[in-house]
Amino acid sequence: MLSSVVLTKVMFEFEIVQVSLSATIHLKGSLSLKDTSQLKAEIKNLLGTETTEIIFDFKHLSYLDSSGMSILLHTYTWGKEKGKTVRIINVSNEVKTIFAVANLLQTFSIS
């Protein structure tokens, strides 16, 4: 008997919501290498504005690879250089484990 397996492609989406001087980036799906260029461009645009705080909302983020971590580290570094705060909220235990393994729990404000 043959079995069929249906693989569904995990998509990535993001939405930036600006409220006053704070911008929240809502991430949904799986953040990997193929998704980072557009997100990186949008973050660079944000860093050039009067926004003082960038918040990454991981509530609907299911996966994060090393290129996704790289975007977060770049945002942290660029933001710090420009006097901006970078926070991460709604982090799942699975993603928090990735931060722990990478020794980054103390780098970011994670809740």
Side-chain angles (χ1 to χ4, degrees):
M1 181 177 170
L2 293 174
S3 298
S4 62
V5 177
V6 177
L7 299 175
T8 57
K9 184 177 178 185
V10 178
M11 303 289 288
F12 175 73
E13 299 173 346
F14 68 91
E15 176 185 19
I16 300 173
V17 177
Q18 184 87 35
V19 177
S20 190
L21 296 177
S22 178
T24 301
I25 304 171
H26 299 274
L27 306 175
K28 181 179 180 183
S30 179
L31 176 57
S32 60
L33 178 62
K34 64 182 176 18
D35 307 304
T36 56
S37 61
Q38 184 181 2
L39 179 58
K40 186 177 181 178
E42 292 293 333
I43 290 169
K44 282 187 171 185
N45 287 339
L46 268 179
L47 290 168
T49 68
E50 293 182 10
T51 300
T52 59
E53 178 180 48
I54 296 175
I55 302 166
F56 288 95
D57 186 348
F58 280 19
K59 184 175 185 175
H60 299 288
L61 185 71
S62 58
Y63 177 77
L64 177 74
D65 74 1
S66 60
S67 59
M69 291 293 283
S70 176
I71 288 289
L72 296 172
L73 286 169
H74 279 104
T75 303
Y76 175 81
T77 303
W78 297 327
K80 191 172 182 180
E81 289 172 358
K82 294 181 178 273
K84 300 179 190 290
T85 303
V86 178
R87 295 190 303 129
I88 303 171
I89 61 171
N90 299 318
V91 180
S92 69
N93 288 333
E94 293 83 9
V95 173
K96 200 175 279 190
T97 299
I98 295 170
F99 278 86
V101 169
N103 202 25
L104 294 172
L105 286 175
Q106 287 71 36
T107 302
F108 294 98
S109 173
I110 298 176
S111 58

